[in-house]
């Protein structure tokens, strides 16, 4: 599954992925407000818990990283944060 924070968060929350692969590019978007956080109903929100969305938090275990040109790829197994 390819997507941003909302799609990745929903897939991890719903337990439909075994491993996450994130590609980080050294590019900053100026003036853009990302839609962080996903409510239990799958609705996007702007600010997670600060906006009243108690989105579950996950950590990656067995983390591996590799640099591909200027990008960094991070992979790991998502686990629910206690």
């Amino acid at each position: 599954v390819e997507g941003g924070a909302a799609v990745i968060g929903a897939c991890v929350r719903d337990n439909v992925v075994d491993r996450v692969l994130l590609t980080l590019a050294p590019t900053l978007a100026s003036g853009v407000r990302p839609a962080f956080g996903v409510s239990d109903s799958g609705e996007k929100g702007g600010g997670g818990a600060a906006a009243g969305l108690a989105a579950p938090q996950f950590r990656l275990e067995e983390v591996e990283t590799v640099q591909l040109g200027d990008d960094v790829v991070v992979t790991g197994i998502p686990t629910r944060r206690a």
Side-chain angles (χ1 to χ4, degrees):
V1 176
E2 181 178 349
V7 171
I8 293 169
C11 289
V12 170
R13 182 196 68 232
D14 293 343
N15 228 7
V16 296
V17 295
D18 297 321
R19 185 176 266 308
V20 173
L21 185 145
L22 303 169
T23 303
L24 308 172
T27 304
L28 301 175
S30 177
V32 176
R33 183 174 175 196
F36 290 107
V38 178
S39 71
D40 288 337
S41 65
E43 296 176 17
K44 296 179 188 177
L53 298 176
Q57 293 185 358
F58 295 86
R59 291 196 54 86
L60 296 180
E61 293 185 353
E62 299 183 31
V63 174
E64 297 177 12
T65 60
V66 64
Q67 186 162 353
L68 295 174
D70 289 338
D71 297 347
V72 176
V73 178
V74 178
T75 64
I77 299 170
T79 58
R80 190 163 197 137
R81 193 171 190 181

